[in-house]
Amino acid sequence: MQSSVVRIAGAIRGISIAAVVSFVSGALLLRLLMVEGPALRSLQLTWAAPVLRAAMAPTSASSAASASALEQLIPAPAPAPLPDPADTAAATTDVDTTELLVAMVSSIPPSSMQPLALWELFKPVMARRDLFAEARTKMTDAWNAWQQLLEFLRDTAASAATRKASSEERHCPYSVSWLNATDLSKGGRVVADIPCGLVLDSSITLVGAPAGVMGDFRIDLVGQSFPGERAEAPIILHHNIRLGGDQLSPRAVIVQNTWTAATDWADEERCPPPPASQQDLRTVDGLAMCAPQVGIRDSPANANASSSPPSKWPGAITQQHGKKPWFPYADGHPFAATVWAGWDGFHVTVDGKHVTSFEYRQNLEPWMVSSVRLEGSLFLTSLIANGLPTSEDQNTLRDLDRLKAPPLPPKGKALDMFIGVFSTGNNFERRMAVRRSWMQYELVRSGKIAVRFFVGLDQNQQVNVELWKEAVAYGDIQLLPFIDYYNLITLKTLAICIYATKIVKSRYVMKTDDDTFVRVDEVYASVRRTNRSEALLYGLIEGDSKPNRDYRSKWYITEEEWPLPRYPPWAHGPGYIFSRDIARFVVKRNEEMRLKLFKLEDVAMGAWIEEYGRVRKKNVSYASDANFLSENCKDGYKIAHYQNPRQMICLWQHLEQGSGPLCCN
């Protein structure tokens, strides 16, 4: 029986004409056409010329003349539709990887568009032969994402004359739902689209009932593959309920795991855990990986215990000490299960009780989720996804001017400090909270301190469209020429150094995250009190630490990646500051291909600073500040990490009202 697929998706329909015209400016696309490489040029002419022609649709006699002059520079392609993305992806596989990287980075001159100012300057980074293997893969993905975005903008420009976009249309909805009862036990599956991924506190709730005492059913959070990719999409979370047990246990069990085409199934986690397992000693966001009330350890002694009372739950596991047996799922019994995204992992509750937690695996994070897939012995009543990432409509904002980034200082004038903020594409709400809170400090609004978000492209076309509109509206986003990927965050640190030395000049440089609240005035005053303008690292300094060799950890480091038993001194990543001379050293060493890359960005910066001291024969000042909090918030903080958007606004209100640095936990 063929699988029936039910999809919930919001179609992308509109984008402001101003953004389209700005995006497909003549300078941008002419530069695209001049990229070296015959294979690329042939590919570009096919899709770039229609985009430019659509953008140049004349609105007056003078603009018509300009359009005519520009069109003469672009050879008209043979009448043919834009290539299918699958064909485009196939074409790029014939291009040398290095040529592809250089082509994309070289395609945009810094003067063309502020959000892409780093692309030209980033070329020495992406051309390195010792670049992370993941960077090359994600560079190819970024090329595909870039083409999809251009294709969408072309289609939007072509249809703008015949259709007026509604201001109520949302590319990234706050919630999606599916309300058709379906019996999956007879075969088939339900696939519900998650248009723009998940963020902190996003939740997916399904109501249903198991439809077989010996059966099982699965809840999969599935990632996304680009059109034309042959590899199956990754499974970010596999939550498998086995009521009849399996080969390892005759009793009911929940198995959680991840899957990718490259690594196949990873190490599974079971609830309840097997005998002698340390799994149940670990927690995620303070919650047990397997709630203790979910049965007992599956051991021969317990399995044969005659004192265990019979269970009214088919397949349930009885607990020790005569406690009432409990398993969250049972044949024919309705349940409401919620999967929600925490800071460090996914959590599952059933009927209001915490059941399992699953730590995010390396490079498989909630923003990558593109759909929920349900299959197996399940009667599904309804499904709803809530708290999804959605951007604010700039057309309806009353305080847009107050939220726009102030202009950068003229050439030759240095900033007091430059703050680079790590963010990912669909974290719209976090960036807005930062704009409405600590980016309102007078030091920032006056232009003495500049703040920019550093964001990679997203595999999701809808996210890229919303991200582009946001970048144009606020002027504070720097898009990077690769797909956001945890192992590539060190490249963002490099990008901050490049921006702070090549695009602006800044006495101090700060790196922080979009979930960190920064008391800008106090942080800047604290740095100035050091009386150091060179060879300075300021933050919460870790002076004696070693690599994590636990392969199950998100921060697992192999001997090949870091052979030494200890790390050099480094500052915790939620917020640290370094002097301009260190930023210059990092950029220069990278241009010379002599900068060692390491995937933990804060440790990498520590290693670069140690190398700076050795090469330049400088005594580095490591200034540690206990009020640079790497976890949560404490009254008196200078920076507070793990703050959600509501807490960000609350912290700012405390400061505005004169209450001081009080937390909002």
Side-chain angles (χ1 to χ4, degrees):
M1 178 178 180
Q2 290 186 343
S3 297
S4 60
V5 178
V6 181
R7 289 206 169 269
I8 308 161
I12 297 179
R13 294 189 179 90
I15 188 171
S16 68
I17 301 303
V20 174
V21 173
S22 174
F23 187 77
V24 293
S25 64
L28 163 63
L29 288 175
L30 286 175
R31 182 61 179 264
L32 279 170
L33 295 174
M34 292 188 286
V35 176
E36 294 183 0
L40 285 177
R41 187 176 296 114
S42 173
L43 179 63
Q44 291 157 355
L45 287 175
T46 309
W47 50 261
V51 178
L52 186 55
R53 288 193 178 88
M56 294 188 306
T59 56
S60 65
S62 59
S63 61
S66 300
S68 177
L70 280 172
E71 281 195 297
Q72 293 177 14
L73 299 176
I74 305 171
L82 190 72
D84 183 87
D87 299 333
T88 301
T92 60
T93 59
D94 297 328
V95 181
D96 178 77
T97 304
T98 303
E99 183 184 45
L100 183 63
L101 300 178
V102 175
M104 185 173 173
V105 175
S106 301
S107 64
I108 311 296
S111 59
S112 289
M113 212 164 299
Q114 280 301 108
L116 308 174
L118 277 170
W119 284 31
E120 177 73 20
L121 298 171
F122 219 58
K123 186 163 37 173
V125 179
M126 304 308 290
R128 289 181 58 149
R129 291 293 181 181
D130 63 341
L131 202 61
F132 303 118
E134 296 94 334
R136 298 191 178 278
T137 301
K138 294 305 172 184
M139 191 65 208
T140 306
D141 290 348
W143 175 262
N144 292 333
W146 180 243
Q147 291 181 81
Q148 287 184 8
L149 185 55
L150 285 176
E151 179 183 346
F152 170 78
L153 293 173
R154 184 212 67 174
D155 292 343
T156 303
S159 63
T162 58
R163 185 183 64 82
K164 183 178 180 180
S166 168
S167 61
E168 296 181 358
E169 290 176 351
R170 304 305 300 241
H171 298 300
C172 296
Y174 181 78
S175 65
V176 295
S177 59
W178 182 89
L179 303 174
N180 296 323
T182 301
D183 187 356
L184 299 178
S185 64
K186 298 178 181 179
R189 60 171 57 167
V190 166
V191 179
D193 282 354
I194 305 297
C196 297
L198 304 176
V199 291
L200 177 69
D201 290 337
S202 292
S203 64
I204 300 165
T205 298
L206 58 129
V207 177
V213 62
M214 297 304 292
D216 61 12
F217 62 94
R218 295 164 294 287
I219 306 170
D220 289 337
L221 304 187
V222 183
Q224 181 176 4
S225 295
F226 278 108
E229 286 187 351
R230 296 179 181 177
E232 289 187 45
I235 299 176
I236 314 300
L237 171 65
H238 175 69
H239 186 80
N240 190 339
I241 296 90
R242 300 175 180 175
L243 291 178
D246 56 17
Q247 293 179 344
L248 298 181
S249 171
R251 302 170 184 266
V253 66
I254 300 170
V255 176
Q256 299 187 118
N257 208 340
T258 57
W259 181 91
T260 67
T263 62
D264 205 355
W265 290 107
D267 292 338
E268 67 181 25
E269 296 173 5
R270 301 170 67 87
C271 181
S277 170
Q278 296 299 312
Q279 173 187 311
D280 57 337
L281 302 179
R282 296 159 56 202
T283 61
V284 181
D285 294 322
L287 297 172
M289 297 184 71
C290 177
Q293 68 265 30
V294 184
I296 56 174
R297 290 180 181 273
D298 187 18
S299 65
N302 291 323
N304 298 325
S306 59
S307 59
S308 298
S311 171
K312 67 177 182 179
W313 303 101
I317 301 175
T318 57
Q319 293 196 347
Q320 291 174 317
H321 311 303
K323 291 183 179 180
K324 183 178 179 180
W326 183 76
F327 192 76
Y329 307 96
D331 177 32
H333 288 260
F335 67 85
T338 298
V339 182
W340 59 278
W343 290 104
D344 295 321
F346 292 111
H347 308 282
V348 179
T349 62
V350 179
D351 298 333
K353 298 178 182 178
H354 170 66
V355 176
T356 63
S357 292
F358 185 83
E359 188 174 28
Y360 301 136
R361 299 278 174 87
Q362 268 199 11
N363 307 315
L364 295 172
E365 302 197 43
W367 62 266
M368 301 173 65
V369 173
S370 64
S371 64
V372 184
R373 186 172 64 204
L374 307 173
E375 54 188 329
S377 299
L378 174 68
F379 184 84
L380 179 66
T381 302
S382 64
L383 180 148
I384 184 168
N386 255 322
L388 304 181
T390 183
S391 60
E392 294 194 32
D393 186 352
Q394 291 88 22
N395 296 322
T396 62
L397 285 179
R398 295 182 178 180
D399 56 350
L400 180 60
D401 290 339
R402 184 175 66 90
L403 300 176
K404 287 183 177 179
L408 295 173
K411 254 188 174 180
K413 184 176 180 181
L415 291 165
D416 290 337
M417 186 161 69
F418 175 73
I419 303 178
V421 185
F422 281 15
S423 187
T424 54
N426 70 352
N427 275 338
F428 308 114
E429 191 178 2
R430 286 193 194 178
R431 289 190 291 273
M432 288 304 297
V434 172
R435 292 185 186 107
R436 288 197 164 102
S437 60
W438 60 264
M439 280 180 69
Q440 292 300 311
Y441 271 104
E442 180 58 28
L443 281 170
V444 177
R445 299 312 304 165
S446 66
K448 293 180 179 179
I449 292 177
V451 183
R452 292 294 183 270
F453 297 98
F454 287 75
V455 188
L457 291 171
D458 198 283
Q459 283 187 291
N460 188 311
Q461 181 188 10
Q462 297 181 27
V463 172
N464 285 331
V465 169
E466 291 296 315
L467 182 60
W468 177 258
K469 291 195 293 184
E470 183 185 351
V472 170
Y474 301 105
D476 57 11
I477 291 177
Q478 282 298 304
L479 293 176
L480 300 176
F482 54 81
I483 297 293
D484 256 323
Y485 197 57
Y486 181 78
N487 282 1
L488 302 184
I489 59 173
T490 299
L491 300 186
K492 288 189 177 183
T493 308
L494 256 177
I496 289 175
C497 291
I498 293 170
Y499 196 97
T501 56
K502 299 284 190 178
I503 295 179
V504 297
K505 307 297 180 187
S506 180
R507 295 183 179 89
Y508 299 103
V509 183
M510 181 176 186
K511 177 266 164 181
T512 189
D513 298 330
D514 62 7
D515 60 353
T516 299
F517 188 96
V518 180
R519 288 176 60 204
V520 175
D521 54 355
E522 184 58 34
V523 165
Y524 180 58
S526 298
V527 173
R528 293 193 64 184
R529 284 195 290 268
T530 64
N531 293 319
R532 294 289 296 257
S533 59
E534 292 186 345
L536 172 68
L537 177 63
Y538 190 101
L540 183 61
I541 306 298
E542 193 71 46
D544 184 22
S545 62
K546 56 186 179 181
N548 188 327
R549 303 299 189 193
D550 182 357
Y551 71 92
R552 299 169 300 180
S553 171
K554 180 179 178 179
W555 295 276
Y556 169 58
I557 300 298
T558 66
E559 295 277 356
E560 291 75 18
E561 290 172 319
W562 191 274
L564 301 177
R566 299 275 171 186
Y567 288 138
W570 54 278
H572 283 268
Y576 58 82
I577 302 161
F578 49 98
S579 49
R580 174 171 53 188
D581 55 326
I582 290 175
R584 286 175 173 170
F585 174 82
V586 168
V587 173
K588 182 174 177 57
R589 294 290 278 191
N590 175 69
E591 291 172 347
E592 297 169 347
M593 306 292 179
R594 300 169 71 183
L595 190 73
K596 177 178 172 55
L597 298 178
F598 184 59
K599 66 184 182 183
L600 302 184
E601 69 84 20
D602 42 13
V603 176
M605 177 56 77
W608 299 341
I609 291 175
E610 183 186 56
E611 184 181 8
Y612 157 86
R614 184 177 66 254
V615 172
R616 296 288 172 83
K617 296 180 171 51
K618 297 272 190 177
N619 291 321
V620 177
S621 173
Y622 294 95
S624 190
D625 192 329
N627 287 319
F628 271 51
L629 303 176
S630 62
E631 294 185 9
N632 300 318
C633 180
K634 293 180 182 178
D635 291 349
Y637 67 90
K638 291 179 183 175
I639 71 167
H641 192 210
Y642 289 141
Q643 301 301 292
N644 64 37
R646 285 187 300 172
Q647 290 170 323
M648 288 276 200
I649 300 301
C650 176
L651 292 174
W652 179 245
Q653 289 173 344
H654 281 325
L655 294 173
E656 279 194 310
Q657 294 165 3
S659 302
L662 301 180
C663 296
C664 300
N665 295 335

